[in-house]
Amino acid sequence: MNRLNTLIESLQGFWAARAHRERWILLAGGGTSLILAAWVLVWEPVTGWATDQQQRLAKTAQTAAIVSQGRKRLEAVDSSNDRTKNLPVAIAASSRSPMQDARRVAEQLDILDAIERREPTRDGGLQISFVELPFSDLVRWVGEMQTRGFVVTRARLTPIEIDRPRGLIRADLSLASGAS
C-alpha cells in the first residue's frame, strides 16, 4: 500500500505543477487516447467477429438449402409411381467419387496394399489394378463396389504362380457407374 500512496502523491504533485491550459490539453489527449484504444481493442474485433458470423450463417443457409433440395428430390422419387430401384442409388452416387469408394472398400477389406494403380475415367468410372491379391478378396471387393452402384465392364485376371496356384492373382478392372 505504501507504493500506491507514493504513486498517488507523485501524480497529484505532477498535476498540481501544471498550468490550467496544460491540464486541459492532457485531459483532451487522454480522452482521445481512451476513445482510440476502445475503438482498436473493442469495436474492431467485435465488428470483425460479427462479419465472420454473418458469413458462416450465409454458408450454413446455403448448405441447408442444398440439403433440403436433395431431400425433396429423394422424397419425390420415393413417392412416385415409377419406383425404379436404381434411381435413388444414382442420385446418391452422383455426389461420390469412384476413387474414394474404391479406397474405402479396400480399407474395409484390408486389401489397400494390393492396389497398384487407380485412375478415374471420363465417364465417371474407374480403372484399377491389383497385385498379389487373393481371388476371394477380389470377389468381395467387386461385390461391395456393386452395392455402391458400380459395375465391372472389363476384367483381366492373371494368376501369379501358374505352377503352384495359391489363389493369388493380378487383376486389371474397369468399372462404370451403374446409374448411367
Side-chain angles (χ1 to χ4, degrees), residues 143-163:
E144 184 62 33
M145 290 300 288
Q146 283 180 341
T147 63
R148 293 176 182 239
F150 297 97
V151 294
V152 176
T153 57
R154 185 186 63 80
R156 186 177 60 193
L157 307 176
T158 310
I160 298 294
E161 294 180 5
I162 297 174
D163 297 340

Side-chain angles (χ1 to χ4, degrees), residues 96-97 99-109 148:
R96 289 196 318 246
S97 162
M99 297 281 286
Q100 292 172 347
D101 281 341
R103 180 179 176 85
R104 285 187 190 119
V105 171
E107 284 175 344
Q108 289 172 355
L109 299 175
R148 293 176 182 239

Side-chain angles (χ1 to χ4, degrees), residues 106-118:
E107 284 175 344
Q108 289 172 355
L109 299 175
D110 198 27
I111 59 171
L112 188 59
D113 294 338
I115 295 177
E116 181 180 42
R117 177 181 57 88
R118 286 181 302 157

Side-chain angles (χ1 to χ4, degrees), residues 115-172:
I115 295 177
E116 181 180 42
R117 177 181 57 88
R118 286 181 302 157
E119 293 179 9
T121 59
R122 289 183 185 177
D123 61 354
L126 172 71
Q127 289 183 345
I128 189 164
S129 296
F130 293 96
V131 292
E132 293 195 22
L133 176 71
F135 182 75
S136 59
D137 288 345
L138 178 67
V139 170
R140 289 189 326 197
W141 184 86
V142 168
E144 184 62 33
M145 290 300 288
Q146 283 180 341
T147 63
R148 293 176 182 239
F150 297 97
V151 294
V152 176
T153 57
R154 185 186 63 80
R156 186 177 60 193
L157 307 176
T158 310
I160 298 294
E161 294 180 5
I162 297 174
D163 297 340
R164 297 182 346 179
R166 297 184 335 218
L168 294 178
I169 61 168
R170 173 176 175 72
D172 294 311

